[in-house]
């Protein structure tokens, strides 16, 4: 008869307690606010799904969600191909490998609020190096007043900050490919494009799926960098869903609306994560 060592559960209890404190309890609090109304003094009135109906029917929510999806699409469309291209250009051996890896990791070490502040100064039209140089070329650029300039600046900032993550993941996938594959391709006279299409890209599928998942989650929930850079402006041009959520909760003190938005936001992110997990599981099963 097989015996079970229940003492192992004691090793898991600290982790369960930490997850409950950091995730479950705050989530239940948000769910509680999303179905009730409060006027302070811990007096609540049950509202049912009223806040969810108002959020889903709100043009403001639809506009913020559209901006969020557009930003995420642009980020993925730029950073994934760019990260793979940079990883392919990096050396596979020699002393320059360490130098390249260190330089790639540097942007990831900078705190998010510092990145927003750096780019705010960097892109100012009067004193910023980027803003002054672009205007000196005869291009009218002012991210504090022009929505298109603000969007370009926010996208450039995120590309500078997070492309390194894709580079490091793609480079790890490339380094895991055995040299025998390249030797066989060389014997067959395969071109660089053929090597990439039939050897490197298939071997990087899993790594790139993880990269897309991580970049989707982070770009879909981005808040600090664009808030520090533009504050959601000019107007509401860069007011993403995360920024609009904070404005509703802290600026307008609409706790019910903000809580319902948080739950909808969470469920959308969870759904995409489930889709990626299913795709990765099916891919492994097919192999």
């Amino acid at each position: 008869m097989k015996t079970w060592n229940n003492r192992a559960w004691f090793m898991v209890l600290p982790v369960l307690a930490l997850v409950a404190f950091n995730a479950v309890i705050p989530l239940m609090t948000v769910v509680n606010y999303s179905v009730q109304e409060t006027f302070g003094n811990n007096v609540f009135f049950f509202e049912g799904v009223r806040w969810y109906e108002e959020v889903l029917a709100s043009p403001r929510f639809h506009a913020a969600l559209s901006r969020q999806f557009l930003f995420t699409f642009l980020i993925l469309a730029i950073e994934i191909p760019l990260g793979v291209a940079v990883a392919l250009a990096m050396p596979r051996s020699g002393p320059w490998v360490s130098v390249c890896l260190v330089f790639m990791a540097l942007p990831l070490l900078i705190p998010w609020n510092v990145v927003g502040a750096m780019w705010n100064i960097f892109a100012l039209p009067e004193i910023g190096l980027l803003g002054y140089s672009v205007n000196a070329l005869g291009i009218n650029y002012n991210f504090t007043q022009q929505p298109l300039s603000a969007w370009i600046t926010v996208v450039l900032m995120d590309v500078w900050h997070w492309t390194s993550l894709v580079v490091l993941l793609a480079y790890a996938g490339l380094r895991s490919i055995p040299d025998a594959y390249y030797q066989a391709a060389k014997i067959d006279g395969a071109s660089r494009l053929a090597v990439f299409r039939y050897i490197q890209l298939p071997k990087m599928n899993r790594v790139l799926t993880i990269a897309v998942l991580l970049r989707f989650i982070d770009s879909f929930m981005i808040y600090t960098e664009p808030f520090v850079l533009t504050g959601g402006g000019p107007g509401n041009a860069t007011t993403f869903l995360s920024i609009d959520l904070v404005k509703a909760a802290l600026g307008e003190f609409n706790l019910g609306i903000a809580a319902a938005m948080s739950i909808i936001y969470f469920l959308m992110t969870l759904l995409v994560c489930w889709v990626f997990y299913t795709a990765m599981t099916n891919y492994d099963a097919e192999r």
Side-chain angles (χ1 to χ4, degrees), residues 112-142:
W112 298 340
N113 57 335
V114 177
V115 171
M118 287 170 50
W119 275 81
N120 187 296
I121 299 173
F122 180 58
L124 284 175
E126 299 295 335
I127 62 174
L129 178 61
L130 174 63
Y132 181 82
S133 301
V134 173
N135 282 286
L137 295 174
I139 302 173
N140 186 17
Y141 170 84
N142 190 338

Coordinates of all heavy atoms in Angstrom, one line a residue, residues 112-142:
W112 N 10.0 51.4 -14.5 CA 9.0 51.9 -15.4 C 8.8 53.4 -15.3 O 8.7 54.1 -16.4 CB 7.7 51.1 -15.3 CG 7.9 49.7 -15.5 CD1 8.9 49.0 -16.2 CD2 7.0 48.6 -15.1 NE1 8.7 47.7 -16.2 CE2 7.5 47.4 -15.6 CE3 5.8 48.6 -14.4 CZ2 6.9 46.2 -15.3 CZ3 5.2 47.4 -14.1 CH2 5.7 46.2 -14.6
N113 N 8.7 53.9 -14.1 CA 8.5 55.3 -14.0 C 9.7 56.2 -14.4 O 9.5 57.3 -15.0 CB 8.1 55.7 -12.5 CG 9.2 55.3 -11.6 OD1 9.9 54.3 -11.8 ND2 9.3 55.9 -10.4
V114 N 10.9 55.6 -14.3 CA 12.1 56.3 -14.8 C 12.1 56.3 -16.3 O 12.5 57.3 -16.9 CB 13.3 55.6 -14.2 CG1 14.6 56.3 -14.7 CG2 13.3 55.7 -12.7
V115 N 11.6 55.2 -16.9 CA 11.6 55.2 -18.4 C 10.6 56.3 -18.9 O 11.0 57.0 -19.8 CB 11.1 53.8 -18.9 CG1 10.8 53.8 -20.4 CG2 12.1 52.7 -18.5
G116 N 9.5 56.4 -18.3 CA 8.5 57.5 -18.7 C 9.1 58.9 -18.5 O 9.0 59.7 -19.4
A117 N 9.8 59.1 -17.4 CA 10.4 60.4 -17.1 C 11.5 60.7 -18.1 O 11.7 61.8 -18.6 CB 10.9 60.5 -15.7
M118 N 12.3 59.7 -18.4 CA 13.4 59.8 -19.4 C 12.9 60.2 -20.7 O 13.4 61.2 -21.4 CB 14.2 58.5 -19.5 CG 15.1 58.2 -18.3 SD 15.8 56.5 -18.4 CE 16.4 56.5 -20.1
W119 N 11.9 59.5 -21.2 CA 11.4 59.8 -22.5 C 10.6 61.1 -22.5 O 10.5 61.8 -23.6 CB 10.5 58.7 -23.0 CG 11.3 57.6 -23.7 CD1 12.1 56.7 -23.1 CD2 11.6 57.5 -25.1 NE1 12.7 55.9 -24.0 CE2 12.5 56.4 -25.2 CE3 11.1 58.2 -26.2 CZ2 12.9 56.0 -26.5 CZ3 11.6 57.7 -27.5 CH2 12.4 56.6 -27.6
N120 N 10.0 61.5 -21.4 CA 9.4 62.8 -21.3 C 10.4 63.9 -21.6 O 10.1 64.9 -22.4 CB 8.7 63.0 -20.0 CG 7.8 64.2 -19.9 OD1 8.3 65.3 -20.0 ND2 6.6 64.0 -19.7
I121 N 11.5 63.9 -21.0 CA 12.6 64.9 -21.2 C 13.2 64.7 -22.6 O 13.4 65.7 -23.2 CB 13.6 64.7 -20.1 CG1 13.0 65.0 -18.7 CG2 14.8 65.7 -20.3 CD1 14.0 64.7 -17.5
F122 N 13.4 63.5 -23.0 CA 14.0 63.2 -24.3 C 13.2 63.8 -25.4 O 13.7 64.2 -26.5 CB 14.3 61.7 -24.4 CG 14.9 61.3 -25.7 CD1 16.1 61.8 -26.0 CD2 14.3 60.4 -26.5 CE1 16.8 61.4 -27.2 CE2 14.9 60.0 -27.7 CZ 16.1 60.5 -28.0
A123 N 11.9 63.7 -25.3 CA 11.0 64.1 -26.4 C 10.4 65.5 -26.4 O 9.6 65.8 -27.2 CB 9.8 63.0 -26.5
L124 N 10.7 66.2 -25.3 CA 10.2 67.6 -25.3 C 10.6 68.4 -26.5 O 11.8 68.4 -26.9 CB 10.7 68.3 -24.0 CG 10.0 67.9 -22.7 CD1 10.7 68.5 -21.5 CD2 8.5 68.2 -22.7
P125 N 9.7 69.1 -27.1 CA 10.0 69.8 -28.4 C 11.0 70.9 -28.3 O 11.7 71.2 -29.3 CB 8.6 70.3 -28.9 CG 7.8 70.4 -27.6 CD 8.3 69.3 -26.7
E126 N 11.1 71.5 -27.1 CA 12.0 72.7 -27.0 C 13.4 72.3 -26.5 O 14.4 72.8 -27.0 CB 11.4 73.7 -26.0 CG 10.1 74.2 -26.4 CD 10.2 75.1 -27.7 OE1 11.3 75.6 -27.9 OE2 9.1 75.2 -28.4
I127 N 13.5 71.4 -25.5 CA 14.8 71.0 -24.9 C 15.2 69.6 -25.1 O 16.4 69.2 -24.9 CB 14.8 71.4 -23.4 CG1 13.7 70.6 -22.7 CG2 14.6 72.9 -23.2 CD1 13.8 70.8 -21.2
G128 N 14.3 68.7 -25.5 CA 14.6 67.3 -25.6 C 15.4 67.0 -26.9 O 15.2 67.7 -27.9
L129 N 16.3 66.1 -26.8 CA 17.2 65.8 -27.9 C 16.3 65.3 -29.1 O 16.5 65.7 -30.2 CB 18.2 64.7 -27.5 CG 19.1 64.2 -28.7 CD1 20.0 65.4 -29.2 CD2 20.0 63.1 -28.2
L130 N 15.4 64.4 -28.8 CA 14.5 63.8 -29.9 C 13.6 64.9 -30.5 O 13.5 65.1 -31.7 CB 13.7 62.7 -29.4 CG 12.6 62.1 -30.4 CD1 13.3 61.5 -31.6 CD2 11.8 61.1 -29.7
G131 N 12.9 65.6 -29.6 CA 12.0 66.7 -30.0 C 12.7 67.8 -30.8 O 12.2 68.2 -31.9
Y132 N 13.8 68.3 -30.3 CA 14.5 69.4 -30.9 C 15.0 68.9 -32.3 O 15.0 69.7 -33.3 CB 15.6 69.8 -30.0 CG 16.4 71.0 -30.6 CD1 16.0 72.3 -30.5 CD2 17.6 70.7 -31.3 CE1 16.7 73.3 -31.0 CE2 18.3 71.8 -31.8 CZ 17.9 73.1 -31.7 OH 18.6 74.1 -32.2
S133 N 15.6 67.7 -32.4 CA 16.2 67.2 -33.6 C 15.1 67.0 -34.7 O 15.3 67.4 -35.8 CB 16.9 65.9 -33.4 OG 17.9 66.0 -32.4
V134 N 14.0 66.5 -34.3 CA 12.9 66.3 -35.3 C 12.4 67.6 -35.8 O 12.1 67.8 -37.0 CB 11.8 65.4 -34.7 CG1 10.6 65.4 -35.6 CG2 12.3 64.0 -34.4
N135 N 12.1 68.6 -34.9 CA 11.7 69.9 -35.3 C 12.7 70.6 -36.1 O 12.4 71.4 -37.0 CB 11.3 70.7 -34.1 CG 9.9 70.3 -33.5 OD1 8.9 70.6 -34.1 ND2 9.9 69.6 -32.4
A136 N 14.0 70.4 -35.9 CA 15.1 71.0 -36.7 C 15.1 70.5 -38.1 O 15.5 71.2 -39.0 CB 16.4 70.7 -36.0
L137 N 14.5 69.3 -38.3 CA 14.4 68.7 -39.7 C 13.2 69.3 -40.4 O 13.0 68.9 -41.6 CB 14.3 67.2 -39.6 CG 15.6 66.5 -39.1 CD1 15.3 65.0 -38.9 CD2 16.8 66.7 -39.9
G138 N 12.5 70.2 -39.8 CA 11.3 70.7 -40.5 C 10.0 70.0 -40.2 O 9.0 70.3 -40.9
I139 N 10.0 69.0 -39.4 CA 8.9 68.2 -39.1 C 8.2 68.7 -37.8 O 8.9 68.9 -36.8 CB 9.2 66.7 -38.8 CG1 9.9 66.1 -40.1 CG2 8.0 65.9 -38.5 CD1 10.4 64.7 -39.9
N140 N 7.0 69.1 -37.9 CA 6.2 69.6 -36.7 C 6.0 68.5 -35.7 O 5.1 67.6 -36.0 CB 4.9 70.3 -37.2 CG 4.3 71.0 -36.0 OD1 4.9 71.3 -35.0 ND2 3.0 71.3 -36.2
Y141 N 6.7 68.5 -34.6 CA 6.5 67.4 -33.6 C 6.4 68.0 -32.2 O 7.2 68.8 -31.8 CB 7.8 66.5 -33.7 CG 7.9 65.5 -32.5 CD1 7.3 64.3 -32.6 CD2 8.6 65.9 -31.4 CE1 7.3 63.4 -31.5 CE2 8.7 65.0 -30.3 CZ 8.1 63.8 -30.4 OH 8.2 62.9 -29.4
N142 N 5.3 67.6 -31.6 CA 5.0 68.1 -30.2 C 4.1 67.1 -29.6 O 2.9 67.1 -29.8 CB 4.4 69.5 -30.2 CG 4.4 70.0 -28.8 OD1 4.4 69.3 -27.8 ND2 4.3 71.4 -28.7

